[in-house]
Amino acid sequence: MSTPPSRATSASPAVTATAPAPAKPAPAKPAPAKSASAIRATASPSAAVPDTQGSAIDPVLEAQVSGIIRANAPSQVGVALIDMADGIVHEYGVREKFVAASTGKVLAAATYYHLAESGLVSLAAPMGGSTAEVHLRRMIQQSDNQSWGLILGAIGYQGIQDYAASIGITYDRVLNTLTAAETARILALLFGGRLLSGANTAQLLSYMQYTNYESLIPAAVPAGINVFHKYGLLDGNLHDAAILVQDTRAYVLVVYTLGHDAAGMPGGAGIIHQVTQAVAAKLF
């Protein structure tokens, strides 16, 4: 994994079922005008996130997203979209589980923060020559696989699976599999303040801004939209999972792709860009 342009930390050898970062990270964007907590406070994120699918947000958008998925066959594409104003999960394309790759790191981070809030672990705990808090940042912002391994070691495979089950997510850490909709629900619950304390929510969201790889969903949204995201890349899987925020509007968009190219690119990146552009044009 190459050194990112901001808040640089060097990456380390991968752990099992993990996703290396792409070789050429995009240049970092300028610092955000607002903090993650300030954006979240104004974006109406309080709606519950039901475990059901409603009607399409908009018939035209539904047709566009479905058309993009069909046009990119035989690649497998799963898309999930949530309007935080109503919390309904909308699914398109493949609804089965994908290898989550590094998008699963958000669940790992949420699990650790939850255990810290329960007094079972500490953000200040020594870990890998640093602290748990530092490794949480590296795991999310730099997609550092060694940090992921250390965090998983602290929470345990059963610990992350139990936490996932407590928020309505069926997760197998050995396989590291999630559906696009499950990942979208995790992000919606996080942004809505339903997983963690306000301070820990703001900290985790801040790590999801201006990461070591901004060339997927962040590159495809117009200026003025704040993006909090986590990408994943492994064995032909290329994913991005994001929260898109502008003024009082907030949406969760997750695009999971699996192609025949072992690197997962550039076809997967093109699909993610097309879906993101269609969603942003219609909803913002």
mmCIF file with all atom_site columns, all heavy atoms in Angstrom, residues 133-155:
data_model
loop_
_atom_site.group_PDB
_atom_site.id
_atom_site.type_symbol
_atom_site.label_atom_id
_atom_site.label_alt_id
_atom_site.label_comp_id
_atom_site.label_asym_id
_atom_site.label_entity_id
_atom_site.label_seq_id
_atom_site.pdbx_PDB_ins_code
_atom_site.Cartn_x
_atom_site.Cartn_y
_atom_site.Cartn_z
_atom_site.occupancy
_atom_site.B_iso_or_equiv
_atom_site.pdbx_formal_charge
_atom_site.auth_seq_id
_atom_site.auth_comp_id
_atom_site.auth_asym_id
_atom_site.auth_atom_id
_atom_site.pdbx_PDB_model_num
ATOM 1   N N   . GLU A 1 133 ? -6.400  3.800  19.403 1.00 0.00 ? 133 GLU A N   1
ATOM 2   C CA  . GLU A 1 133 ? -6.991  4.924  18.685 1.00 0.00 ? 133 GLU A CA  1
ATOM 3   C C   . GLU A 1 133 ? -6.236  5.229  17.400 1.00 0.00 ? 133 GLU A C   1
ATOM 4   O O   . GLU A 1 133 ? -6.838  5.488  16.347 1.00 0.00 ? 133 GLU A O   1
ATOM 5   C CB  . GLU A 1 133 ? -7.016  6.163  19.582 1.00 0.00 ? 133 GLU A CB  1
ATOM 6   C CG  . GLU A 1 133 ? -7.737  7.343  18.964 1.00 0.00 ? 133 GLU A CG  1
ATOM 7   C CD  . GLU A 1 133 ? -7.927  8.471  19.963 1.00 0.00 ? 133 GLU A CD  1
ATOM 8   O OE1 . GLU A 1 133 ? -7.317  8.420  21.072 1.00 0.00 ? 133 GLU A OE1 1
ATOM 9   O OE2 . GLU A 1 133 ? -8.687  9.406  19.659 1.00 0.00 ? 133 GLU A OE2 1
ATOM 10  N N   . VAL A 1 134 ? -4.921  5.165  17.462 1.00 0.00 ? 134 VAL A N   1
ATOM 11  C CA  . VAL A 1 134 ? -4.115  5.393  16.259 1.00 0.00 ? 134 VAL A CA  1
ATOM 12  C C   . VAL A 1 134 ? -4.391  4.316  15.222 1.00 0.00 ? 134 VAL A C   1
ATOM 13  O O   . VAL A 1 134 ? -4.526  4.608  14.022 1.00 0.00 ? 134 VAL A O   1
ATOM 14  C CB  . VAL A 1 134 ? -2.615  5.437  16.621 1.00 0.00 ? 134 VAL A CB  1
ATOM 15  C CG1 . VAL A 1 134 ? -1.746  5.385  15.359 1.00 0.00 ? 134 VAL A CG1 1
ATOM 16  C CG2 . VAL A 1 134 ? -2.302  6.694  17.424 1.00 0.00 ? 134 VAL A CG2 1
ATOM 17  N N   . HIS A 1 135 ? -4.503  3.086  15.664 1.00 0.00 ? 135 HIS A N   1
ATOM 18  C CA  . HIS A 1 135 ? -4.743  1.998  14.705 1.00 0.00 ? 135 HIS A CA  1
ATOM 19  C C   . HIS A 1 135 ? -6.155  2.044  14.122 1.00 0.00 ? 135 HIS A C   1
ATOM 20  O O   . HIS A 1 135 ? -6.356  1.641  12.971 1.00 0.00 ? 135 HIS A O   1
ATOM 21  C CB  . HIS A 1 135 ? -4.434  0.651  15.345 1.00 0.00 ? 135 HIS A CB  1
ATOM 22  C CG  . HIS A 1 135 ? -2.968  0.391  15.458 1.00 0.00 ? 135 HIS A CG  1
ATOM 23  N ND1 . HIS A 1 135 ? -2.165  0.141  14.364 1.00 0.00 ? 135 HIS A ND1 1
ATOM 24  C CD2 . HIS A 1 135 ? -2.144  0.383  16.543 1.00 0.00 ? 135 HIS A CD2 1
ATOM 25  C CE1 . HIS A 1 135 ? -0.915  -0.028 14.761 1.00 0.00 ? 135 HIS A CE1 1
ATOM 26  N NE2 . HIS A 1 135 ? -0.868  0.119  16.083 1.00 0.00 ? 135 HIS A NE2 1
ATOM 27  N N   . LEU A 1 136 ? -7.117  2.541  14.863 1.00 0.00 ? 136 LEU A N   1
ATOM 28  C CA  . LEU A 1 136 ? -8.443  2.741  14.292 1.00 0.00 ? 136 LEU A CA  1
ATOM 29  C C   . LEU A 1 136 ? -8.374  3.746  13.144 1.00 0.00 ? 136 LEU A C   1
ATOM 30  O O   . LEU A 1 136 ? -8.977  3.540  12.088 1.00 0.00 ? 136 LEU A O   1
ATOM 31  C CB  . LEU A 1 136 ? -9.415  3.223  15.364 1.00 0.00 ? 136 LEU A CB  1
ATOM 32  C CG  . LEU A 1 136 ? -9.885  2.175  16.369 1.00 0.00 ? 136 LEU A CG  1
ATOM 33  C CD1 . LEU A 1 136 ? -10.545 2.844  17.576 1.00 0.00 ? 136 LEU A CD1 1
ATOM 34  C CD2 . LEU A 1 136 ? -10.849 1.185  15.729 1.00 0.00 ? 136 LEU A CD2 1
ATOM 35  N N   . ARG A 1 137 ? -7.651  4.830  13.357 1.00 0.00 ? 137 ARG A N   1
ATOM 36  C CA  . ARG A 1 137 ? -7.498  5.830  12.296 1.00 0.00 ? 137 ARG A CA  1
ATOM 37  C C   . ARG A 1 137 ? -6.786  5.237  11.095 1.00 0.00 ? 137 ARG A C   1
ATOM 38  O O   . ARG A 1 137 ? -7.223  5.407  9.952  1.00 0.00 ? 137 ARG A O   1
ATOM 39  C CB  . ARG A 1 137 ? -6.744  7.055  12.805 1.00 0.00 ? 137 ARG A CB  1
ATOM 40  C CG  . ARG A 1 137 ? -6.451  8.076  11.703 1.00 0.00 ? 137 ARG A CG  1
ATOM 41  C CD  . ARG A 1 137 ? -5.765  9.311  12.238 1.00 0.00 ? 137 ARG A CD  1
ATOM 42  N NE  . ARG A 1 137 ? -4.476  9.032  12.836 1.00 0.00 ? 137 ARG A NE  1
ATOM 43  C CZ  . ARG A 1 137 ? -3.344  8.827  12.146 1.00 0.00 ? 137 ARG A CZ  1
ATOM 44  N NH1 . ARG A 1 137 ? -3.360  8.851  10.818 1.00 0.00 ? 137 ARG A NH1 1
ATOM 45  N NH2 . ARG A 1 137 ? -2.213  8.592  12.769 1.00 0.00 ? 137 ARG A NH2 1
ATOM 46  N N   . ARG A 1 138 ? -5.696  4.545  11.326 1.00 0.00 ? 138 ARG A N   1
ATOM 47  C CA  . ARG A 1 138 ? -4.949  3.965  10.205 1.00 0.00 ? 138 ARG A CA  1
ATOM 48  C C   . ARG A 1 138 ? -5.789  2.941  9.447  1.00 0.00 ? 138 ARG A C   1
ATOM 49  O O   . ARG A 1 138 ? -5.742  2.873  8.218  1.00 0.00 ? 138 ARG A O   1
ATOM 50  C CB  . ARG A 1 138 ? -3.663  3.309  10.721 1.00 0.00 ? 138 ARG A CB  1
ATOM 51  C CG  . ARG A 1 138 ? -2.617  4.282  11.231 1.00 0.00 ? 138 ARG A CG  1
ATOM 52  C CD  . ARG A 1 138 ? -1.429  3.537  11.826 1.00 0.00 ? 138 ARG A CD  1
ATOM 53  N NE  . ARG A 1 138 ? -0.409  4.456  12.314 1.00 0.00 ? 138 ARG A NE  1
ATOM 54  C CZ  . ARG A 1 138 ? 0.661   4.106  13.013 1.00 0.00 ? 138 ARG A CZ  1
ATOM 55  N NH1 . ARG A 1 138 ? 0.829   2.805  13.324 1.00 0.00 ? 138 ARG A NH1 1
ATOM 56  N NH2 . ARG A 1 138 ? 1.528   4.993  13.418 1.00 0.00 ? 138 ARG A NH2 1
ATOM 57  N N   . MET A 1 139 ? -6.559  2.157  10.184 1.00 0.00 ? 139 MET A N   1
ATOM 58  C CA  . MET A 1 139 ? -7.376  1.121  9.559  1.00 0.00 ? 139 MET A CA  1
ATOM 59  C C   . MET A 1 139 ? -8.417  1.726  8.624  1.00 0.00 ? 139 MET A C   1
ATOM 60  O O   . MET A 1 139 ? -8.670  1.209  7.528  1.00 0.00 ? 139 MET A O   1
ATOM 61  C CB  . MET A 1 139 ? -8.070  0.296  10.647 1.00 0.00 ? 139 MET A CB  1
ATOM 62  C CG  . MET A 1 139 ? -8.974  -0.807 10.110 1.00 0.00 ? 139 MET A CG  1
ATOM 63  S SD  . MET A 1 139 ? -9.750  -1.773 11.434 1.00 0.00 ? 139 MET A SD  1
ATOM 64  C CE  . MET A 1 139 ? -10.900 -0.578 12.135 1.00 0.00 ? 139 MET A CE  1
ATOM 65  N N   . ILE A 1 140 ? -9.027  2.839  9.043  1.00 0.00 ? 140 ILE A N   1
ATOM 66  C CA  . ILE A 1 140 ? -10.080 3.454  8.240  1.00 0.00 ? 140 ILE A CA  1
ATOM 67  C C   . ILE A 1 140 ? -9.513  4.430  7.223  1.00 0.00 ? 140 ILE A C   1
ATOM 68  O O   . ILE A 1 140 ? -9.832  4.362  6.028  1.00 0.00 ? 140 ILE A O   1
ATOM 69  C CB  . ILE A 1 140 ? -11.098 4.164  9.154  1.00 0.00 ? 140 ILE A CB  1
ATOM 70  C CG1 . ILE A 1 140 ? -11.790 3.156  10.074 1.00 0.00 ? 140 ILE A CG1 1
ATOM 71  C CG2 . ILE A 1 140 ? -12.122 4.923  8.319  1.00 0.00 ? 140 ILE A CG2 1
ATOM 72  C CD1 . ILE A 1 140 ? -12.598 2.082  9.358  1.00 0.00 ? 140 ILE A CD1 1
ATOM 73  N N   . GLN A 1 141 ? -8.684  5.329  7.648  1.00 0.00 ? 141 GLN A N   1
ATOM 74  C CA  . GLN A 1 141 ? -8.232  6.392  6.750  1.00 0.00 ? 141 GLN A CA  1
ATOM 75  C C   . GLN A 1 141 ? -7.200  5.910  5.748  1.00 0.00 ? 141 GLN A C   1
ATOM 76  O O   . GLN A 1 141 ? -7.214  6.311  4.579  1.00 0.00 ? 141 GLN A O   1
ATOM 77  C CB  . GLN A 1 141 ? -7.653  7.546  7.566  1.00 0.00 ? 141 GLN A CB  1
ATOM 78  C CG  . GLN A 1 141 ? -7.459  8.813  6.752  1.00 0.00 ? 141 GLN A CG  1
ATOM 79  C CD  . GLN A 1 141 ? -7.031  9.960  7.634  1.00 0.00 ? 141 GLN A CD  1
ATOM 80  O OE1 . GLN A 1 141 ? -5.998  9.882  8.308  1.00 0.00 ? 141 GLN A OE1 1
ATOM 81  N NE2 . GLN A 1 141 ? -7.808  11.024 7.657  1.00 0.00 ? 141 GLN A NE2 1
ATOM 82  N N   . GLN A 1 142 ? -6.304  5.040  6.169  1.00 0.00 ? 142 GLN A N   1
ATOM 83  C CA  . GLN A 1 142 ? -5.251  4.545  5.286  1.00 0.00 ? 142 GLN A CA  1
ATOM 84  C C   . GLN A 1 142 ? -5.500  3.111  4.824  1.00 0.00 ? 142 GLN A C   1
ATOM 85  O O   . GLN A 1 142 ? -4.698  2.581  4.049  1.00 0.00 ? 142 GLN A O   1
ATOM 86  C CB  . GLN A 1 142 ? -3.891  4.599  6.005  1.00 0.00 ? 142 GLN A CB  1
ATOM 87  C CG  . GLN A 1 142 ? -3.598  5.904  6.736  1.00 0.00 ? 142 GLN A CG  1
ATOM 88  C CD  . GLN A 1 142 ? -3.615  7.107  5.824  1.00 0.00 ? 142 GLN A CD  1
ATOM 89  O OE1 . GLN A 1 142 ? -3.447  6.971  4.626  1.00 0.00 ? 142 GLN A OE1 1
ATOM 90  N NE2 . GLN A 1 142 ? -3.832  8.288  6.388  1.00 0.00 ? 142 GLN A NE2 1
ATOM 91  N N   . SER A 1 143 ? -6.570  2.491  5.279  1.00 0.00 ? 143 SER A N   1
ATOM 92  C CA  . SER A 1 143 ? -6.881  1.089  4.980  1.00 0.00 ? 143 SER A CA  1
ATOM 93  C C   . SER A 1 143 ? -5.723  0.172  5.344  1.00 0.00 ? 143 SER A C   1
ATOM 94  O O   . SER A 1 143 ? -5.428  -0.795 4.648  1.00 0.00 ? 143 SER A O   1
ATOM 95  C CB  . SER A 1 143 ? -7.259  0.912  3.503  1.00 0.00 ? 143 SER A CB  1
ATOM 96  O OG  . SER A 1 143 ? -8.124  -0.194 3.338  1.00 0.00 ? 143 SER A OG  1
ATOM 97  N N   . ASP A 1 144 ? -5.087  0.466  6.453  1.00 0.00 ? 144 ASP A N   1
ATOM 98  C CA  . ASP A 1 144 ? -3.906  -0.271 6.902  1.00 0.00 ? 144 ASP A CA  1
ATOM 99  C C   . ASP A 1 144 ? -4.323  -1.658 7.390  1.00 0.00 ? 144 ASP A C   1
ATOM 100 O O   . ASP A 1 144 ? -5.093  -1.799 8.341  1.00 0.00 ? 144 ASP A O   1
ATOM 101 C CB  . ASP A 1 144 ? -3.222  0.514  8.019  1.00 0.00 ? 144 ASP A CB  1
ATOM 102 C CG  . ASP A 1 144 ? -1.886  -0.077 8.416  1.00 0.00 ? 144 ASP A CG  1
ATOM 103 O OD1 . ASP A 1 144 ? -1.842  -1.267 8.771  1.00 0.00 ? 144 ASP A OD1 1
ATOM 104 O OD2 . ASP A 1 144 ? -0.877  0.666  8.376  1.00 0.00 ? 144 ASP A OD2 1
ATOM 105 N N   . ASN A 1 145 ? -3.782  -2.677 6.750  1.00 0.00 ? 145 ASN A N   1
ATOM 106 C CA  . ASN A 1 145 ? -4.179  -4.047 7.062  1.00 0.00 ? 145 ASN A CA  1
ATOM 107 C C   . ASN A 1 145 ? -3.572  -4.573 8.360  1.00 0.00 ? 145 ASN A C   1
ATOM 108 O O   . ASN A 1 145 ? -4.175  -5.399 9.038  1.00 0.00 ? 145 ASN A O   1
ATOM 109 C CB  . ASN A 1 145 ? -3.808  -4.964 5.903  1.00 0.00 ? 145 ASN A CB  1
ATOM 110 C CG  . ASN A 1 145 ? -4.637  -4.659 4.669  1.00 0.00 ? 145 ASN A CG  1
ATOM 111 O OD1 . ASN A 1 145 ? -5.802  -4.306 4.776  1.00 0.00 ? 145 ASN A OD1 1
ATOM 112 N ND2 . ASN A 1 145 ? -4.027  -4.774 3.499  1.00 0.00 ? 145 ASN A ND2 1
ATOM 113 N N   . GLN A 1 146 ? -2.386  -4.112 8.694  1.00 0.00 ? 146 GLN A N   1
ATOM 114 C CA  . GLN A 1 146 ? -1.814  -4.519 9.970  1.00 0.00 ? 146 GLN A CA  1
ATOM 115 C C   . GLN A 1 146 ? -2.655  -3.961 11.117 1.00 0.00 ? 146 GLN A C   1
ATOM 116 O O   . GLN A 1 146 ? -2.929  -4.664 12.104 1.00 0.00 ? 146 GLN A O   1
ATOM 117 C CB  . GLN A 1 146 ? -0.375  -4.033 10.121 1.00 0.00 ? 146 GLN A CB  1
ATOM 118 C CG  . GLN A 1 146 ? 0.282   -4.521 11.412 1.00 0.00 ? 146 GLN A CG  1
ATOM 119 C CD  . GLN A 1 146 ? 1.699   -4.021 11.590 1.00 0.00 ? 146 GLN A CD  1
ATOM 120 O OE1 . GLN A 1 146 ? 1.941   -2.810 11.494 1.00 0.00 ? 146 GLN A OE1 1
ATOM 121 N NE2 . GLN A 1 146 ? 2.629   -4.923 11.815 1.00 0.00 ? 146 GLN A NE2 1
ATOM 122 N N   . SER A 1 147 ? -3.100  -2.724 10.978 1.00 0.00 ? 147 SER A N   1
ATOM 123 C CA  . SER A 1 147 ? -3.970  -2.141 12.001 1.00 0.00 ? 147 SER A CA  1
ATOM 124 C C   . SER A 1 147 ? -5.275  -2.923 12.099 1.00 0.00 ? 147 SER A C   1
ATOM 125 O O   . SER A 1 147 ? -5.802  -3.153 13.198 1.00 0.00 ? 147 SER A O   1
ATOM 126 C CB  . SER A 1 147 ? -4.262  -0.673 11.663 1.00 0.00 ? 147 SER A CB  1
ATOM 127 O OG  . SER A 1 147 ? -3.081  0.109  11.766 1.00 0.00 ? 147 SER A OG  1
ATOM 128 N N   . TRP A 1 148 ? -5.822  -3.335 10.955 1.00 0.00 ? 148 TRP A N   1
ATOM 129 C CA  . TRP A 1 148 ? -7.040  -4.141 10.958 1.00 0.00 ? 148 TRP A CA  1
ATOM 130 C C   . TRP A 1 148 ? -6.817  -5.432 11.744 1.00 0.00 ? 148 TRP A C   1
ATOM 131 O O   . TRP A 1 148 ? -7.649  -5.834 12.566 1.00 0.00 ? 148 TRP A O   1
ATOM 132 C CB  . TRP A 1 148 ? -7.450  -4.446 9.528  1.00 0.00 ? 148 TRP A CB  1
ATOM 133 C CG  . TRP A 1 148 ? -8.821  -5.041 9.364  1.00 0.00 ? 148 TRP A CG  1
ATOM 134 C CD1 . TRP A 1 148 ? -9.816  -5.120 10.288 1.00 0.00 ? 148 TRP A CD1 1
ATOM 135 C CD2 . TRP A 1 148 ? -9.342  -5.626 8.173  1.00 0.00 ? 148 TRP A CD2 1
ATOM 136 N NE1 . TRP A 1 148 ? -10.937 -5.721 9.744  1.00 0.00 ? 148 TRP A NE1 1
ATOM 137 C CE2 . TRP A 1 148 ? -10.672 -6.037 8.453  1.00 0.00 ? 148 TRP A CE2 1
ATOM 138 C CE3 . TRP A 1 148 ? -8.828  -5.840 6.895  1.00 0.00 ? 148 TRP A CE3 1
ATOM 139 C CZ2 . TRP A 1 148 ? -11.479 -6.659 7.492  1.00 0.00 ? 148 TRP A CZ2 1
ATOM 140 C CZ3 . TRP A 1 148 ? -9.646  -6.444 5.953  1.00 0.00 ? 148 TRP A CZ3 1
ATOM 141 C CH2 . TRP A 1 148 ? -10.946 -6.846 6.235  1.00 0.00 ? 148 TRP A CH2 1
ATOM 142 N N   . GLY A 1 149 ? -5.680  -6.079 11.505 1.00 0.00 ? 149 GLY A N   1
ATOM 143 C CA  . GLY A 1 149 ? -5.377  -7.312 12.219 1.00 0.00 ? 149 GLY A CA  1
ATOM 144 C C   . GLY A 1 149 ? -5.285  -7.098 13.718 1.00 0.00 ? 149 GLY A C   1
ATOM 145 O O   . GLY A 1 149 ? -5.759  -7.927 14.504 1.00 0.00 ? 149 GLY A O   1
ATOM 146 N N   . LEU A 1 150 ? -4.687  -5.984 14.137 1.00 0.00 ? 150 LEU A N   1
ATOM 147 C CA  . LEU A 1 150 ? -4.561  -5.693 15.564 1.00 0.00 ? 150 LEU A CA  1
ATOM 148 C C   . LEU A 1 150 ? -5.919  -5.413 16.199 1.00 0.00 ? 150 LEU A C   1
ATOM 149 O O   . LEU A 1 150 ? -6.208  -5.883 17.310 1.00 0.00 ? 150 LEU A O   1
ATOM 150 C CB  . LEU A 1 150 ? -3.624  -4.499 15.763 1.00 0.00 ? 150 LEU A CB  1
ATOM 151 C CG  . LEU A 1 150 ? -2.142  -4.754 15.438 1.00 0.00 ? 150 LEU A CG  1
ATOM 152 C CD1 . LEU A 1 150 ? -1.380  -3.444 15.370 1.00 0.00 ? 150 LEU A CD1 1
ATOM 153 C CD2 . LEU A 1 150 ? -1.520  -5.691 16.474 1.00 0.00 ? 150 LEU A CD2 1
ATOM 154 N N   . ILE A 1 151 ? -6.762  -4.663 15.494 1.00 0.00 ? 151 ILE A N   1
ATOM 155 C CA  . ILE A 1 151 ? -8.101  -4.370 16.018 1.00 0.00 ? 151 ILE A CA  1
ATOM 156 C C   . ILE A 1 151 ? -8.922  -5.652 16.110 1.00 0.00 ? 151 ILE A C   1
ATOM 157 O O   . ILE A 1 151 ? -9.613  -5.911 17.122 1.00 0.00 ? 151 ILE A O   1
ATOM 158 C CB  . ILE A 1 151 ? -8.815  -3.322 15.146 1.00 0.00 ? 151 ILE A CB  1
ATOM 159 C CG1 . ILE A 1 151 ? -8.102  -1.968 15.237 1.00 0.00 ? 151 ILE A CG1 1
ATOM 160 C CG2 . ILE A 1 151 ? -10.289 -3.207 15.522 1.00 0.00 ? 151 ILE A CG2 1
ATOM 161 C CD1 . ILE A 1 151 ? -8.131  -1.333 16.609 1.00 0.00 ? 151 ILE A CD1 1
ATOM 162 N N   . LEU A 1 152 ? -8.853  -6.484 15.075 1.00 0.00 ? 152 LEU A N   1
ATOM 163 C CA  . LEU A 1 152 ? -9.579  -7.756 15.119 1.00 0.00 ? 152 LEU A CA  1
ATOM 164 C C   . LEU A 1 152 ? -9.073  -8.639 16.250 1.00 0.00 ? 152 LEU A C   1
ATOM 165 O O   . LEU A 1 152 ? -9.858  -9.341 16.901 1.00 0.00 ? 152 LEU A O   1
ATOM 166 C CB  . LEU A 1 152 ? -9.441  -8.486 13.784 1.00 0.00 ? 152 LEU A CB  1
ATOM 167 C CG  . LEU A 1 152 ? -10.237 -7.923 12.606 1.00 0.00 ? 152 LEU A CG  1
ATOM 168 C CD1 . LEU A 1 152 ? -9.857  -8.635 11.314 1.00 0.00 ? 152 LEU A CD1 1
ATOM 169 C CD2 . LEU A 1 152 ? -11.739 -8.039 12.862 1.00 0.00 ? 152 LEU A CD2 1
ATOM 170 N N   . GLY A 1 153 ? -7.772  -8.614 16.476 1.00 0.00 ? 153 GLY A N   1
ATOM 171 C CA  . GLY A 1 153 ? -7.227  -9.403 17.572 1.00 0.00 ? 153 GLY A CA  1
ATOM 172 C C   . GLY A 1 153 ? -7.760  -8.952 18.919 1.00 0.00 ? 153 GLY A C   1
ATOM 173 O O   . GLY A 1 153 ? -7.966  -9.771 19.827 1.00 0.00 ? 153 GLY A O   1
ATOM 174 N N   . ALA A 1 154 ? -7.990  -7.645 19.054 1.00 0.00 ? 154 ALA A N   1
ATOM 175 C CA  . ALA A 1 154 ? -8.481  -7.103 20.328 1.00 0.00 ? 154 ALA A CA  1
ATOM 176 C C   . ALA A 1 154 ? -9.954  -7.408 20.551 1.00 0.00 ? 154 ALA A C   1
ATOM 177 O O   . ALA A 1 154 ? -10.378 -7.653 21.686 1.00 0.00 ? 154 ALA A O   1
ATOM 178 C CB  . ALA A 1 154 ? -8.243  -5.591 20.368 1.00 0.00 ? 154 ALA A CB  1
ATOM 179 N N   . ILE A 1 155 ? -10.752 -7.400 19.486 1.00 0.00 ? 155 ILE A N   1
ATOM 180 C CA  . ILE A 1 155 ? -12.192 -7.615 19.655 1.00 0.00 ? 155 ILE A CA  1
ATOM 181 C C   . ILE A 1 155 ? -12.588 -9.077 19.469 1.00 0.00 ? 155 ILE A C   1
ATOM 182 O O   . ILE A 1 155 ? -13.635 -9.499 19.967 1.00 0.00 ? 155 ILE A O   1
ATOM 183 C CB  . ILE A 1 155 ? -13.011 -6.721 18.701 1.00 0.00 ? 155 ILE A CB  1
ATOM 184 C CG1 . ILE A 1 155 ? -12.703 -7.032 17.233 1.00 0.00 ? 155 ILE A CG1 1
ATOM 185 C CG2 . ILE A 1 155 ? -12.762 -5.258 18.992 1.00 0.00 ? 155 ILE A CG2 1
ATOM 186 C CD1 . ILE A 1 155 ? -13.478 -6.168 16.244 1.00 0.00 ? 155 ILE A CD1 1
#
